[in-house]
């Protein structure tokens, strides 16, 4: 009887072997293609730029088509995929425990997962990962970010403070002093106009702009410290609604920048600032200056706390209220779970040629200084 079972197991293993090998080969080929494509784009920023111009049209078509859905398609697909994987695992584990050829079944299951992972990696590289290797945004905007003295950082921060302070007293607020802006969709509908204005001067911003979408599972995103995400598989820009009103328009503009194939976080932040500044709605303009000021004041405080405090003392009470509100929200979610989210994001960015990892968000300061220097040559 044991000999019969052993023979049956060997027969079943041999039957599954060709399929397992075939899928392992497919996974290997996809990995090689993804690695090769990534290497080619990394070695030729001009090629990445040309491909980005073409792929923008794909992103426009996808985001435009899915914008008619009242929900975030990527979120639905994610839950469907998780459910499917769980069902598949239960079935496979049941067969592994109750049928013959256990080891062969394990290898076949691993080969299936390898194909899925390799396919996702390849599609990611071709739909968005390449954008990390495009030529710097500073070249396209004719800016020259260079190491600068603390005095220049101080002047840039002071400029942003003055602009933000002037706007902070004009935006609508409730009885507690918090800024108001209507619903999430009302805010989202205002963001595109800034990019349309920029597009007349800079080709990189020429496109059509479907509004960002609200994430339903925002509690999980907040726990991991995620304010927004661009999903290249559906070309949807998703934003966490659990944010303060002064920060929300800037975050929306940031995620829309990713859909324009502006992948580095500092460049997406800078594009968000430019788009907010170019917007006709003073609430959106305030968001841009407010968030840019926040990045610069943090950098200035790290370089010279006394200078930073002197700038902070000149900010309006309304602006300081907004800063306190945002900092309180950030502190609310400080936890080991958020640390995990930060670590994952840090690893993702470093894996995509962003050596500074999550610190790259703050490197927008260099671009803001370059902009201030260009617009104020006598400063």
């Amino acid at each position: 009887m044991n000999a019969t079972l052993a023979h049956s197991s060997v027969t079943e293993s041999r039957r599954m072997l060709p399929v397992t090998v075939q899928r392992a080969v497919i996974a290997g080929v996809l990995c090689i293609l993804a690695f090769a494509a990534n290497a080619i784009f990394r070695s030729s920023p001009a090629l990445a730029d040309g491909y980005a111009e073409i792929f923008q049209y794909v992103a426009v078509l996808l985001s435009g088509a899915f914008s008619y859905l009242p929900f975030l398609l990527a979120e639905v697909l994610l839950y469907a995929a998780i459910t499917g994987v769980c069902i598949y695992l239960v079935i496979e584990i049941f067969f592994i425990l109750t049928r013959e050829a256990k080891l062969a079944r394990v290898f076949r299951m691993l080969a299936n997962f390898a194909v899925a992972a390799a396919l996702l990696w390849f599609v990611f590289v071709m739909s968005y990962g390449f954008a990390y290797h495009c030529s710097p945004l500073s070249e396209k905007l004719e800016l020259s970010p260079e190491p600068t003295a603390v005095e220049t950082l101080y002047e840039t921060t002071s400029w942003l403070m003055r602009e933000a302070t002037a706007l902070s007293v004009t935006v609508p607020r409730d009885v507690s002093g918090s800024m108001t802006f209507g619903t999430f969709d009302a805010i989202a509908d205002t963001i595109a106009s800034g990019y349309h204005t920029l597009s007349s001067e800079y080709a990189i911003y020429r496109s059509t702009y479907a509004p960002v979408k609200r994430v339903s599972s925002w509690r999980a995103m907040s726990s991991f410290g995620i304010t927004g995400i661009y999903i290249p598989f559906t070309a949807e820009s998703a934003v966490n609604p659990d944010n303060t009103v002064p920060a929300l328009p800037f975050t929306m503009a940031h995620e829309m920048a990713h859909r324009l194939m502006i992948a580095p976080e500092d460049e997406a932040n800078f594009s968000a600032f430019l788009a907010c500044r170019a917007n006709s709605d003073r609430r959106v303009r305030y968001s841009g200056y407010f968030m840019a000021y926040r990045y610069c004041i943090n950098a200035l405080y790290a370089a010279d706390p006394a200078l930073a405090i002197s700038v902070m003392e000149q900010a309006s009470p309304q602006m300081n209220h907004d800063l306190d509100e945002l900092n309180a929200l950030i502190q609310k979610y400080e936890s080991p779970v958020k640390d995990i989210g930060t670590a994952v994001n840090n690893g993702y960015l470093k894996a995509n040629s962003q050596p500074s990892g999550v610190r790259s968000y703050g490197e927008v300061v260099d671009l803001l200084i370059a902009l201030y220097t260009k617009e104020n040559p006598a400063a």
Side-chain angles (χ1 to χ4, degrees):
M1 182 67 177
N2 290 338
T4 302
L5 288 174
H7 177 73
S8 176
S9 179
V10 170
T11 301
E12 183 65 13
S13 296
R14 288 176 177 173
R15 184 186 68 79
M16 288 188 287
L17 181 61
V19 175
T20 301
V21 171
Q22 181 186 55
R23 292 173 187 175
V25 169
I26 292 173
V29 170
L30 286 170
C31 286
I32 291 171
L33 289 174
F35 183 83
N38 203 47
I40 291 171
F41 286 127
R42 184 186 296 113
S43 65
S44 178
L47 178 62
D49 287 343
Y51 184 75
E53 291 181 10
I54 296 173
F55 199 82
Q56 269 191 1
Y57 291 104
V58 178
V60 165
L61 290 173
L62 286 176
S63 62
F66 297 146
S67 67
Y68 293 101
L69 298 176
F71 54 85
L72 185 64
L73 178 61
E75 198 170 12
V76 174
L77 293 177
L78 174 63
Y79 289 135
I82 292 173
T83 302
V85 168
C86 289
I87 293 173
Y88 173 74
L89 277 173
V90 169
I91 294 173
E92 283 298 311
I93 291 173
F94 173 78
F95 284 144
I96 289 170
L97 295 176
T98 60
R99 304 288 178 85
E100 65 278 2
K102 300 181 186 303
L103 191 59
R105 292 182 184 278
V106 169
F107 281 126
R108 185 180 64 179
M109 180 178 67
L110 293 176
N112 288 340
F113 280 120
V115 169
L119 179 61
L120 286 174
W121 181 29
F122 176 72
V123 173
F124 169 78
V125 170
M126 299 306 296
S127 62
Y128 186 64
F130 71 89
Y132 285 101
H133 309 303
C134 289
S135 57
L137 180 65
S138 57
E139 292 182 6
K140 299 165 185 172
L141 303 184
E142 299 180 349
L143 295 174
S144 302
E146 297 175 356
T148 54
V150 174
E151 182 64 25
T152 309
L153 172 57
Y154 166 74
E155 292 170 357
T156 303
T157 307
S158 297
W159 160 60
L160 293 169
M161 180 275 297
R162 290 191 300 271
E163 296 291 340
T165 291
L167 287 164
S168 69
V169 298
T170 68
V171 297
R173 296 178 180 274
D174 60 22
V175 292
S176 67
S178 298
M179 180 179 165
T180 59
F181 203 154
T183 65
F184 180 95
D185 291 338
I187 302 174
D189 287 340
T190 67
I191 306 302
S193 66
Y195 279 112
H196 280 298
T197 300
L198 289 176
S199 67
S200 63
E201 185 175 359
Y202 302 112
I204 191 171
Y205 297 121
R206 291 175 188 164
S207 184
T208 55
Y209 317 98
V212 300
K213 288 189 175 182
R214 174 193 178 102
V215 177
S216 297
S217 52
W218 58 266
R219 290 179 179 83
M221 288 187 71
S222 293
S223 298
F224 285 103
I226 303 171
T227 57
I229 185 171
Y230 172 66
I231 304 99
F233 307 108
T234 58
E236 291 175 300
S237 296
V239 171
N240 182 350
D242 185 23
N243 205 340
T244 65
V245 173
L248 200 51
F250 181 90
T251 302
M252 291 177 172
H254 174 104
E255 297 308 329
M256 288 183 72
H258 285 323
R259 195 166 58 204
L260 295 173
M261 301 299 116
I262 299 172
E265 300 300 341
D266 59 329
E267 295 184 358
N269 269 344
F270 187 66
S271 296
F273 168 72
L274 292 179
C276 288
R277 186 173 76 153
N279 201 292
S280 60
D281 192 307
R282 66 182 184 277
R283 297 167 297 184
V284 178
R285 292 200 305 277
Y286 173 59
S287 179
Y289 280 110
F290 170 75
M291 291 298 289
Y293 165 76
R294 183 172 177 271
Y295 280 113
C296 283
I297 197 65
N298 287 340
L300 182 60
Y301 191 87
D304 192 321
L307 276 179
I309 291 173
S310 71
V311 175
M312 293 164 65
E313 289 175 343
Q314 300 175 58
S316 67
Q318 292 89 340
M319 191 170 159
N320 286 329
H321 173 86
D322 294 337
L323 282 170
D324 291 341
E325 203 172 47
L326 180 56
N327 290 333
L329 180 66
I330 294 171
Q331 288 295 322
K332 175 183 175 181
Y333 291 106
E334 290 295 342
S335 69
V337 174
K338 182 180 178 181
D339 293 339
I340 293 172
T342 301
V344 170
N345 191 25
N346 191 56
Y348 162 80
L349 292 172
K350 288 185 175 181
N352 284 284
S353 302
Q354 304 299 297
S356 299
V358 293
R359 292 198 305 273
S360 63
Y361 288 90
E363 290 172 357
V364 66
V365 170
D366 296 333
L367 291 166
L368 290 166
I369 292 174
L371 177 67
Y372 174 77
T373 303
K374 179 181 179 180
E375 295 183 349
N376 301 272

